[in-house]
């Protein structure tokens, strides 16, 4: 049959919804009778396609288009007619294929349908069942009507028709099931084994038995060589090696193994009496005679040494230290790297720079918004939304900062704690001190140099692609403590320092020994004219009511903030306050920077040779701390009450102010006898040297008492305890100086930054009246300079500018390596300057005297000349008068008015 | 006594760090340094002096050691040997 499209199924399907599918009887008849092929395959087993020739059509009156039309495509044919046809024509009858069906047909009339479209393959088909006939004849219209009705009435309620079970029509699946199912092939046999009950559990007795003695006691399968499996190895791989002839021999020896052996000994000594005895003996005296007198006496040798050092190599001392492979003619600072924060929306400036004390390549900058005071006030609402950050940059990544420490407000100064670099203290613009603890992130920043999974290729992405990478989230670290707003500073904190870990102070300013071994106190100065000392340890509760107060204020702290300084948060008060007052009437001094004595700050002179020991000590400390509890976690209150104060400690320090004064004052507070309050002492000395605010006061890293102050347009160098004035004061520079720093390796060099982006390098051994080198770094004001000796070959200088960029420059060899006797030369220079000052002071006294003398001389001279001239004038006047008289006489005589004889009377008349 | 005077004079020279007198067996008799340092110097220098003397005499038996000076980076050690005693002086040559 030709394949039919399944489309035709649908119109027929409503015809047979309930009709069961009868299994057609597949009778394989031996006769030549052909099986009637039905359309079972198509779901219509009652339909038997047929071909009817025209003759047949005429016989049965089912001619195409005449009897059988589209309107009436069927014809009922009587069975007897078909049988007659069979008789007449036999096998050639068209109905022959369906003879069987017709014979079995129950009814009388068979329905013959004209298949115009050849739906079933042939032009006619016979419906072999009564039911089929009925269905064909009758219901189609009804069902079609029903169909139509169904199409139009969509609101008909769906009537639930319970599924009617239909008899199962096999499609061949039971064969598969039969194959898959597991059946017992053979019947199972069961055995029953029994034994007498008493034999169970009886003691067993084993005995030996020879298997071969009893016939059939064992069955064996002996191995035999099978010819099928014998292989003859025809080829063989053999390796050969030539070795020297060796002979193995053995002997027995006494094996000595290493054993630890110690010897303990003590030196032989004479007792006192024996020594005396020996000392008195004669040979002793003779020995001394021999030794002290004569050619080879000790004294001559000693004197020889004193006269001259014969072992000195003059050539060596003459030349500078050689052995450098770096070009010595290079004197410029070279740009190494620069960092800018590109993510912030507002323009920022850098306010403070600090290198990480232990980790190479890590530098922290504090950024603040670059606005004047008025603009800050105007935009204060917007500024609140900006995070105030300290960024930690690493050399390995110039675009993304490694850590960002968040503070409550713009930070103007900060410092790493010298004893634990994971603790950072910073001062804000609103007067608060902020503490951070980055111990949790410490290992993250330590391993930066080793790569740590980030790509090492420097990929320069354009600006619009600079989004944070998926593996580098911006790590904002919140501060873990801030100081109390009411009790702390009122204005911006301008400087902050950690006090050394060797001492601590109490409320009065007295100094005590610090038992903790770590830095636990801070000193800050602020624009509200005070210098405050702070303690980071928890203060013992003085009054019981504070405990209640604390219960009320329960501060929620985010989870990722360490609780190191929880006790300080928002309730931190300063330990002692020193007010820098100028007197009753005038405004107090406004400090900008302070400098404590070298022994105050635990700043080991970061020389090249001590840097490694410093870092190794810290590494050991850290390793030690890993096992023990971090001391900062368990700080107890100050022990100051139990110890005696150290008296000979120098409690004075230098302060630089906004007006350009340098003040040397004492931080010890004393009790005012009248009011009983704690008062700060009056400053020891005060000098106004600079024309602008002093922004740098720094002790030299080589000399404890030499201080560099920079402010306004000039530079001054001071020596502590020399009160008369600065040792060196430079003349006004063309541009204002905005920052400065001593060089850490050369005692005569310091760096000064200007407001036009130039850096002036001063070398005191070369020129003292002007800088020895001037180099341009950036286009705007330099706000911070910090050098760092990162290694013995490389020294780096960090320069921060007003536009928020941090430049790292490399210092050339000549500027970083001191000459062999530079320390002593510079010290000698300072001593000379001190002497010069003293000389000037002395000369001033002498000069004053001289001037006084000269003035007195002048006075005296002036007074003397005045007297002389008075007498002269009188004499002169008299003379003139007499001359006049004479003149008068002569004229009168010449005029004839006066006779000579009347002369007398004229004179008498006069 | 004279001995004391001599010792005092030697000790007061410029740059002298310490003086000691040691007997032939290496036992210190007089010293200006502390005990442990004295004992150390005495033992070591005694052996060194013996070795130096034997060296000199091995080369020429008629010869003998008269003075031994050891110059190091930091200071100079002077040893004046005798038949029975040893005078050791440590000086820091001034520079």
């Amino acid at each position: 049959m030709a394949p039919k499209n399944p489309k035709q199924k649908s119109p027929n399907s409503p015809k047979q919804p309930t009709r069961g599918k009868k299994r057609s009887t597949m009778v394989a008849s031996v006769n030549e009778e052909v099986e009637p092929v039905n359309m079972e395959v198509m779901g219509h087993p009652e339909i038997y396609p047929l071909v009817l020739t025209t003759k047949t059509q005429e016989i049965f009156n089912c001619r195409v288009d005449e009897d059988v039309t589209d309107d009436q495509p069927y014809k009922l044919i009587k069975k007897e007619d078909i049988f007659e046809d069979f008789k007449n024509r036999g096998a050639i009858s068209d109905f022959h294929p369906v003879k069987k069906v017709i014979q079995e047909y129950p009814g009388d009339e068979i329905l013959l349908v004209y298949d115009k479209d050849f739906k079933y393959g042939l032009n006619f088909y016979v419906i072999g069942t009564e039911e089929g006939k009925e269905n064909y004849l009758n219901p189609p219209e009804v069902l079609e009507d029903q169909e139509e009705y169904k199409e139009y009435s969509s609101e008909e309620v769906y009537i639930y028709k319970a599924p009617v079970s239909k008899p199962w029509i096999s499609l061949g699946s039971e064969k598969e099931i039969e194959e898959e199912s597991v059946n017992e092939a053979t019947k199972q046999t069961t055995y029953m084994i029994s034994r007498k009950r008493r034999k169970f559990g009886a003691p067993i007795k084993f005995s030996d038995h020879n298997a071969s003695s009893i016939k059939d006691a064992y069955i064996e399968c002996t191995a035999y060589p099978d010819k099928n499996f014998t292989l003859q190895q025809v080829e063989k791989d053999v390796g050969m090696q030539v070795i020297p002839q060796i002979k193995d021999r053995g002997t027995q020896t006494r094996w000595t193994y290493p054993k630890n052996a110690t010897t303990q000994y003590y030196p032989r000594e004479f007792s006192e009496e024996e020594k005396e005895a020996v000392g008195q003996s004669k040979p002793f005296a003779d020995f001394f005679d021999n030794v002290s007198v004569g050619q080879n006496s000790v004294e001559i040798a000693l004197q020889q040494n004193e006269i001259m050092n014969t072992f000195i190599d003059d050539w060596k001392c003459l030349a500078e230290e050689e052995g450098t492979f770096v070009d010595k003619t290079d004197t410029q600072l070279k740009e190494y790297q620069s960092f800018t924060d590109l993510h912030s929306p507002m323009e920022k400036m850098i306010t403070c720079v600090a290198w990480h004390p232990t980790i190479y390549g890590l530098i922290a900058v504090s950024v603040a918004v670059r606005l004047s005071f008025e603009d800050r006030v105007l935009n204060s609402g917007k500024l609140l939304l900006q995070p105030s950050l300290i960024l930690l940059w690493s050399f390995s990544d110039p675009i993304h900062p490694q850590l960002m420490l968040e503070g409550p407000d713009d930070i103007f100064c900060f410092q790493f704690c010298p004893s634990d670099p994971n603790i950072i203290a910073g001062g804000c613009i609103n007067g608060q001190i902020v503490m951070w603890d980055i111990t949790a992130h410490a290992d993250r920043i330590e391993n930066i140099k080793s790569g740590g999974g980030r790509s090492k290729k420097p990929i320069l992405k354009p600006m619009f692609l600079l989004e944070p990478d998926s593996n580098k989230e911006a790590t904002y670290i919140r501060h873990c403590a801030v100081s109390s707003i009411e009790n702390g500073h009122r204005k911006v904190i301008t400087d902050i320092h950690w006090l050394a870990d060797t001492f601590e102070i109490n409320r009065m300013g007295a100094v005590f020994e610090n038992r903790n071994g770590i830095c636990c106190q801070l000193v800050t100065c602020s624009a509200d004219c005070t210098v405050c000392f702070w303690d980071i340890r928890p203060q013992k509760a003085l009054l019981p009511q504070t405990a209640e107060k604390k219960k009320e204020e329960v501060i929620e702290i985010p989870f990722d903030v360490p609780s190191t300084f929880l006790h300080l948060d928002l309730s931190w008060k300063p330990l002692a306050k020193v007010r820098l007052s100028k007197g009753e009437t005038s405004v107090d001094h406004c400090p900008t920077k302070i400098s404590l004595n070298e022994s105050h700050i635990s700043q080991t002179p970061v020389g090249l040779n001590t840097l490694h020991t410093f870092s190794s000590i810290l590494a050991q400390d850290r390793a030690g701390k890993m096992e023990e509890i971090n001391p900062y976690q368990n700080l107890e209150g100050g022990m100051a009450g139990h110890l005696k104060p150290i008296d000979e400690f120098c409690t004075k320090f230098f302060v630089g102010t906004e007006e350009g004064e340098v003040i040397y004052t004492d931080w010890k507070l004393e009790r005012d006898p009248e009011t009983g309050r704690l008062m700060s002492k009056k400053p020891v000395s005060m000098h106004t040297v600079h024309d602008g605010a002093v922004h740098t006061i720094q002790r030299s890293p080589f000399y404890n008492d030499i201080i560099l102050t920079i402010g306004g347009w000039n530079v001054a160098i001071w020596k502590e305890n020399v009160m008369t004035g600065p040792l060196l004061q430079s003349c006004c520079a063309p541009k204002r100086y905005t920052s400065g720093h001593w060089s850490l390796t050369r005692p005569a060099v310091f760096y000064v930054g200007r407001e036009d982006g130039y850096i002036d390098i001063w070398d005191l051994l070369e020129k003292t009246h002007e800088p020895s080198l001037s180099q341009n770094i950036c286009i705007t004001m330099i706000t911070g300079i910090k050098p760092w000796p990162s290694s013995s070959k490389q020294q780096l200088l960090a320069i921060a500018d007003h536009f928020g960029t941090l430049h790292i420059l490399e210092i050339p060899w000549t500027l970083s390596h001191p000459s062999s006797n530079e320390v002593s030369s510079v010290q000698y220079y300072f001593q000379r300057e001190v002497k010069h000052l003293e000389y000037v002071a002395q000369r001033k006294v002498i000069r004053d005297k001289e001037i006084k003398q000269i003035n007195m001389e002048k006075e005296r001279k002036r007074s003397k000349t005045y007297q002389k001239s008075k007498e002269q004038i009188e004499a002169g006047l008299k003379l003139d008068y007499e001359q006049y008289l004479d003149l008068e006489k002569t004229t009168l005589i010449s005029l004839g008015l006066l006779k000579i004889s009347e002369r007398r009377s004229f004179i008498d008349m006069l | 006594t004279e001995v004391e005077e001599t010792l005092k004079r030697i000790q007061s020279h410029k740059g002298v760090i310490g003086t000691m007198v040691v007997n032939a067996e290496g036992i210190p008799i007089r010293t200006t340094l502390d005990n442990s340092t004295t004992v150390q110097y005495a033992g070591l220098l005694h052996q060194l002096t013996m070795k130096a003397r034997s060296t000199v005499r091995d080369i020429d038996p008629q010869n003998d050691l008269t003075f031994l000076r050891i110059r190091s980076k930091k200071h100079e050690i002077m040893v004046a040997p005798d038949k029975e005693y040893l005078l050791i002086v440590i000086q820091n040559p001034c520079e």
Side-chain angles (χ1 to χ4, degrees):
Chain A
M1 298 294 170
K4 292 281 188 179
N5 43 353
K7 185 174 65 149
Q8 58 195 323
K9 266 199 185 174
S10 39
N12 281 324
S13 53
K15 268 199 253 178
Q16 312 121 25
T18 54
R19 207 174 330 149
K21 306 233 184 253
K22 279 203 189 136
R23 200 162 174 225
S24 67
T25 51
M26 304 285 226
V27 179
S29 50
V30 186
N31 300 351
E32 71 279 357
E33 273 192 8
V34 177
E35 239 175 66
V37 179
N38 66 352
M39 285 282 106
E40 191 185 333
V41 293
M42 293 186 63
H44 300 295
E46 65 286 347
I47 291 175
Y48 297 91
L50 271 185
V51 179
L52 294 183
T53 58
T54 44
K55 187 142 198 285
T56 316
Q57 287 174 24
E58 278 168 20
I59 295 170
F60 291 99
N61 300 324
C62 54
R63 284 181 286 265
V64 177
D65 290 334
E66 284 179 18
D67 301 322
V68 181
T69 60
D70 285 336
D71 294 332
Q72 199 188 2
Y74 59 89
K75 191 113 176 113
L76 287 165
I77 298 170
K78 292 206 171 76
K79 230 160 92 167
E80 294 97 21
D81 293 338
I82 298 176
F83 282 133
E84 249 183 72
D85 188 50
F86 281 146
K87 275 186 216 157
N88 294 337
R89 298 202 286 168
I92 62 164
S93 164
D94 286 331
F95 284 97
H96 189 73
V98 296
K99 183 179 177 185
K100 208 83 185 130
V101 176
I102 292 160
Q103 278 172 350
E104 287 164 2
Y105 193 76
D108 270 339
E109 293 187 333
I110 291 176
L111 186 66
L112 177 75
V113 182
Y114 170 57
D115 193 2
K116 187 177 174 205
D117 300 321
F118 289 84
K119 270 197 275 185
Y120 298 104
L122 302 172
N123 58 355
F124 279 89
Y125 63 85
V126 164
I127 294 185
T129 59
E130 276 288 318
E131 293 167 23
K133 186 169 94 174
E134 290 299 319
N135 285 340
Y136 185 82
L137 288 173
N138 299 330
E141 286 138 38
V142 178
L143 285 173
E144 276 172 23
D145 289 341
Q146 277 184 1
E147 256 188 37
E148 288 170 21
Y149 282 142
K150 267 185 196 164
E151 282 170 20
Y152 293 124
S153 65
S154 55
E155 296 139 32
E156 212 178 65
V157 177
Y158 175 72
I159 302 164
Y160 172 70
K161 289 186 191 150
V164 176
S165 62
K166 305 170 199 163
W168 176 65
I169 298 173
S170 162
L171 292 168
S173 55
E174 66 263 20
K175 268 195 225 152
E176 288 173 24
I177 293 170
E178 268 182 37
E179 281 168 20
E180 291 293 320
S181 62
V182 177
N183 299 325
E184 289 175 359
T186 55
K187 190 165 180 288
Q188 280 183 339
T189 52
T190 49
Y191 289 94
M192 198 186 88
I193 304 164
S194 67
R195 193 175 173 195
K196 278 193 184 156
R197 171 70 203 242
R198 58 182 157 85
K199 289 196 183 160
F200 277 98
I204 310 280
K205 200 178 170 194
F206 286 115
S207 59
D208 285 335
H209 199 66
N210 197 352
S212 52
S213 58
I214 301 173
K215 198 180 157 199
D216 290 337
Y218 71 99
I219 301 170
E220 70 169 350
C221 184
T222 45
Y224 62 95
D226 192 350
K227 285 236 172 65
N228 299 334
F229 297 104
T230 49
L231 289 173
Q232 198 175 11
Q233 194 172 22
V234 176
E235 275 182 6
K236 199 170 178 180
D237 271 327
V238 172
M240 311 235 347
Q241 188 182 11
V242 175
I243 55 167
Q245 258 187 334
I246 49 173
K247 276 187 194 161
D248 279 325
R249 285 262 189 277
T251 72
Q252 196 149 358
T253 64
R254 211 183 321 143
W255 171 51
T256 51
Y257 56 91
K259 266 186 281 198
N260 277 339
T262 56
T263 314
Q264 196 166 359
Y265 62 92
Y266 58 90
R268 275 185 303 171
E269 285 178 10
F270 278 151
S271 63
E272 290 298 323
E273 300 86 30
E274 285 174 332
K275 282 188 192 171
E276 282 299 318
V278 169
Q280 303 300 329
S281 63
K282 189 159 187 309
F284 196 68
D286 287 341
F287 160 68
F288 262 90
D289 289 334
N290 284 343
V291 155
S292 42
V293 182
Q295 193 75 3
N296 51 335
S297 77
V298 175
E299 298 208 32
I300 290 187
L302 288 171
Q303 281 164 5
Q304 279 174 355
N305 278 343
E306 283 159 30
I307 292 167
M308 171 156 174
N309 185 7
T310 51
F311 293 96
I312 220 171
D313 190 352
D314 293 322
W315 288 114
K316 219 176 183 184
C317 295
L318 202 62
E320 285 292 318
E321 190 186 297
E322 288 295 331
T324 64
F325 49 87
V326 177
D327 187 14
K328 282 214 174 164
T329 56
D330 165 41
T331 52
Q332 295 279 324
L333 300 169
K334 279 190 292 239
E335 176 100 10
Y336 184 80
Q337 208 167 7
S338 81
F339 298 102
T340 321
D341 185 24
L342 301 161
H343 294 296
S344 64
M346 298 197 77
E347 290 171 343
K348 299 263 173 117
M349 65 175 177
I350 296 181
T351 49
C352 187
V353 185
W355 291 86
H356 195 279
T358 46
I359 301 174
Y360 166 81
L362 202 63
I363 183 166
V365 290
S366 63
V367 287
V369 182
R370 192 188 335 139
L371 292 175
S372 70
F373 184 70
E374 284 172 17
D375 294 335
R376 237 177 228 276
V377 169
L378 286 171
N379 296 336
S380 56
K382 237 194 290 175
L383 287 177
L384 280 174
L385 301 170
Q386 300 287 322
S388 327
L389 299 173
I390 292 183
L391 307 170
L392 257 80
W393 295 99
S394 156
F395 285 172
S396 59
D397 189 353
I399 301 174
H400 302 275
Q402 298 304 316
L403 288 176
M404 294 195 252
L405 308 176
E406 215 179 324
D409 215 335
D410 278 341
I411 295 148
F412 267 73
C413 54
F414 70 97
Q415 285 267 331
F416 283 94
C417 174
S419 43
D420 184 4
N422 289 329
I423 296 192
I424 300 157
C428 283
I429 195 174
N430 60 356
Q432 278 184 314
I433 297 187
V434 191
M435 300 284 288
W436 287 272
D437 185 359
I438 56 171
T439 333
H441 304 265
D443 40 345
R444 190 182 141 178
I445 52 177
E446 261 174 44
N447 297 331
I448 285 167
K449 192 150 190 245
S450 58
R454 298 190 185 101
S455 71
K456 287 185 187 170
K457 284 185 290 179
I459 302 167
L460 290 169
K461 295 189 206 160
M463 276 288 282
F464 52 87
L465 284 180
L466 278 170
E467 283 142 22
D469 291 343
S470 56
N471 57 348
K472 278 189 244 182
E473 312 105 28
T475 318
Y476 284 91
I477 298 173
R478 193 187 168 273
H479 52 271
C480 60
V482 288
S483 66
S484 156
I485 298 175
E486 307 94 36
N487 303 73
H489 287 291
R490 301 235 146 72
K491 288 196 193 161
V492 58
I493 294 181
T494 49
D495 202 11
I496 184 168
H497 285 287
W498 287 88
L499 290 181
D501 51 2
T502 48
F503 73 98
E504 62 181 40
I505 65 170
N506 73 345
R507 289 182 189 282
M508 298 281 290
V511 177
F512 296 88
E513 188 193 334
N514 183 349
R515 290 276 174 90
N516 289 340
I518 50 171
C519 293
C520 50
Q521 288 188 333
L522 293 163
V523 55
T524 59
C525 72
S526 140
D528 64 353
C529 311
T530 54
V531 173
C532 284
F533 290 89
W534 305 75
D535 196 320
I536 62 176
R537 295 168 295 193
Q539 300 295 321
K540 288 175 195 152
L542 301 164
L543 305 161
Q545 29 171 267
T546 50
E548 288 171 16
K549 269 192 191 164
K550 272 188 188 164
K551 274 185 203 161
E552 290 168 21
E553 321 164 2
V554 172
I555 303 161
E556 290 276 324
I557 292 159
F559 283 115
D560 57 347
V561 171
S563 61
T564 324
F565 298 113
L566 194 55
H567 51 266
L568 297 171
D569 201 8
L570 286 176
S571 58
W572 196 7
K573 287 189 228 178
L575 190 63
K577 244 189 208 180
V578 175
R579 179 160 277 275
L580 299 165
S581 50
K582 254 196 229 177
E584 300 289 323
T585 50
S586 53
V587 178
D588 295 341
H589 296 289
C590 183
T592 50
K593 283 275 189 272
I594 53 178
S595 166
L596 304 176
N597 201 343
E598 176 80 1
S599 58
H600 295 194
I601 303 173
S602 71
Q603 192 183 26
T604 56
V606 191
L608 298 170
N609 48 355
T610 60
L611 179 68
H612 301 293
T613 53
F614 185 60
S615 53
S616 65
I617 286 168
L618 272 180
Q620 279 169 21
D621 275 352
R622 210 179 306 140
K625 273 176 191 170
M626 297 286 269
E627 294 149 5
E628 306 158 4
I629 307 162
N630 190 349
Y632 278 103
Q633 307 282 350
N634 278 0
L635 290 169
E636 291 169 359
M639 298 253 299
H642 304 284
L643 300 169
K644 265 176 49 181
I646 304 170
D647 285 324
E648 56 274 355
F649 211 87
C650 177
T651 56
K652 301 196 177 66
F653 62 106
F654 278 90
V655 181
T657 66
E658 283 266 341
E659 286 90 33
E661 298 149 343
V662 176
I663 303 174
Y664 186 53
T665 180
D666 196 340
W667 77 56
K668 251 190 180 151
L669 301 170
E670 56 184 13
R671 285 211 180 270
D672 191 16
E674 297 160 14
T675 57
R677 281 188 308 168
L678 289 172
M679 297 278 290
S680 42
K681 290 184 181 168
K682 279 221 173 71
V684 177
S685 77
M686 187 183 91
H687 298 273
T688 311
V689 157
H690 298 287
D691 308 313
V694 176
H695 53 74
T696 304
I697 292 193
Q698 209 188 19
R699 307 238 166 188
S700 169
F702 293 87
Y703 312 106
N704 201 9
D705 47 0
I706 302 288
I707 296 117
L708 173 74
T709 59
I710 305 180
W713 279 264
N714 59 355
V715 173
I717 296 182
W718 306 75
K719 194 175 165 90
E720 202 167 351
N721 301 326
V722 171
M723 296 304 147
T724 41
L727 298 183
L728 174 74
Q729 187 179 347
S730 75
C731 60
C732 280
K735 290 279 174 187
R736 202 147 58 102
Y737 288 139
T738 49
S739 68
H741 204 281
W742 282 102
S743 163
L744 295 174
T745 48
R746 284 195 67 189
V749 171
F750 55 93
Y751 307 98
V752 186
R754 304 208 308 224
E755 66 174 352
D756 57 351
Y758 274 76
I759 181 167
D760 281 350
I761 303 173
W762 287 69
D763 187 350
L764 291 173
L765 292 176
E766 211 181 301
K767 283 188 243 183
T768 55
H769 63 282
E770 62 173 17
S772 59
L773 186 66
S774 199
Q775 188 178 344
N776 189 341
I777 307 293
C778 54
I779 52 173
T780 177
M781 186 167 92
I782 292 178
T783 53
I785 297 181
K786 271 269 159 65
W788 185 252
S790 50
S791 69
S792 60
K793 296 197 183 66
Q794 183 193 51
Q795 235 199 52
L796 299 170
L797 188 66
I799 293 182
D801 71 359
H802 193 60
F803 281 165
T805 310
L806 178 71
H807 306 268
I808 312 280
L809 298 126
E810 204 173 326
I811 301 177
W813 180 268
T814 47
L815 282 176
S816 60
H817 277 74
S819 49
S820 44
N821 53 351
E822 190 165 325
V823 178
S824 48
S825 314
V826 176
Q827 186 146 32
Y828 187 50
Y829 165 73
F830 287 132
Q831 282 170 0
R832 280 203 319 261
E833 289 298 318
V834 171
K835 281 195 193 135
H836 171 72
L837 273 177
E838 285 168 14
Y839 175 72
V840 165
Q842 281 172 9
R843 283 296 300 175
K844 203 160 179 219
V845 170
I846 294 171
R847 279 238 148 230
D848 282 339
K849 272 194 224 157
E850 278 181 3
I851 286 173
K852 256 193 214 163
Q853 272 186 0
I854 290 170
N855 280 346
M856 277 171 59
E857 292 269 330
K858 266 196 203 159
E859 282 288 320
R860 231 179 291 139
K861 271 189 206 163
R862 223 181 294 141
S863 59
K864 276 185 203 159
T865 51
Y866 182 62
Q867 284 168 7
K868 267 190 200 162
S869 58
K870 205 173 164 189
E871 289 161 4
Q872 263 183 358
I873 286 169
E874 274 187 18
L877 277 175
K878 217 174 184 179
L879 218 68
D880 282 339
Y881 183 61
E882 279 173 10
Q883 276 179 358
Y884 166 72
L885 284 178
D886 287 331
L887 182 66
E888 199 184 16
K889 221 200 272 182
T890 46
T891 38
L892 281 175
I893 288 169
S894 65
L895 283 175
L897 296 172
L898 197 66
K899 291 199 183 105
I900 301 166
S901 60
E902 289 174 36
R903 229 189 293 154
R904 241 187 304 137
S905 62
F906 185 69
I907 292 168
D908 290 332
M909 272 160 53
L910 287 173
Chain B
T1 62
E2 249 191 64
V3 165
E4 308 297 334
E5 262 187 47
T6 318
L7 276 174
K8 224 189 252 182
R9 202 173 58 241
I10 293 175
Q11 179 66 28
S12 58
H13 263 271
K14 187 174 172 197
V16 170
I17 297 170
T19 316
M20 62 188 84
V21 182
V22 177
N23 82 339
E25 291 174 330
I27 304 171
I29 297 173
R30 290 268 192 279
T31 176
T32 60
L33 301 168
D34 56 287
N35 199 26
S36 49
T37 321
T38 307
V39 151
Q40 199 177 18
Y41 269 104
L44 294 165
L45 286 167
H46 170 253
Q47 290 176 23
L48 187 63
T49 317
M50 291 298 122
K51 191 73 181 180
R53 177 178 278 152
S54 66
T55 308
V56 168
R57 287 180 78 104
D58 274 347
I59 292 168
D60 181 10
Q62 309 291 329
N63 213 348
D64 196 6
L65 180 71
T66 53
F67 207 78
L68 185 61
R69 278 164 94 161
I70 303 162
R71 181 69 178 241
S72 73
K73 263 200 252 180
K74 293 188 189 169
H75 31 250
E76 178 158 341
I77 304 169
M78 284 167 263
V79 182
D82 191 59
K83 254 191 322 194
E84 293 159 29
Y85 299 98
L86 225 61
L87 174 65
I88 301 168
V89 180
I90 305 157
Q91 186 196 26
N92 192 6
C94 50
E95 265 144 298

